[in-house]
Amino acid sequence: MNGSVTTHKEVLNRLARISGQVNGIKRMIEDEKYCIDIVTQIQASCAAMHSLELKILEKHMSHCIRDAFLSGDKENAEQKMEELLKVMKRKY
């Protein structure tokens, strides 16, 4: 963890930018822009979503999971770890 945890406001700001990217892709398609340019923008928006996903996971680990372990509630800590593993396995 890098010490700077993403806030909900920062997440919403990032989502607004990503939404703008997606709307831009829609306009590119409507305007029949060059396919490679469209694909390039799709890749950029996918990279932005991936980056956001990692930031949210970092926050989850540095708060939710850490707090569960520090609380001494073993069952809750194990549940948080299982949730994290389950969501990560879905990706692959």
Side-chain angles (χ1 to χ4, degrees):
M1 312 304 147
N2 65 15
S4 70
V5 176
T6 301
T7 65
H8 283 82
K9 183 177 179 182
E10 290 169 327
V11 167
L12 290 172
N13 289 340
R14 280 180 168 223
L15 279 174
R17 285 193 302 273
I18 293 167
S19 178
Q21 284 180 301
V22 172
N23 286 332
I25 293 167
K26 181 178 181 266
R27 282 190 303 276
M28 289 177 78
I29 293 168
E30 290 169 346
D31 295 342
E32 298 182 11
K33 297 294 183 182
Y34 186 55
C35 297
I36 296 303
D37 293 339
I38 295 169
V39 170
T40 299
Q41 290 305 311
I42 290 170
Q43 290 174 336
S45 65
C46 287
M49 286 294 288
H50 180 71
S51 176
L52 180 59
E53 174 188 18
L54 291 176
K55 281 291 189 185
I56 292 171
L57 283 172
E58 178 181 10
K59 181 177 181 178
H60 180 67
M61 291 173 66
S62 65
H63 285 279
C64 302
I65 291 177
R66 189 185 107 231
D67 291 350
F69 275 96
L70 292 176
S71 74
D73 183 345
K74 185 178 177 181
E75 185 177 321
N76 185 34
E78 287 177 3
Q79 177 188 5
K80 297 289 185 200
M81 289 300 294
E82 286 177 24
E83 289 173 344
L84 179 60
L85 289 172
K86 184 178 179 182
V87 78
M88 294 309 295
K89 286 179 181 178
R90 265 189 274 164
K91 187 168 181 133
Y92 303 100

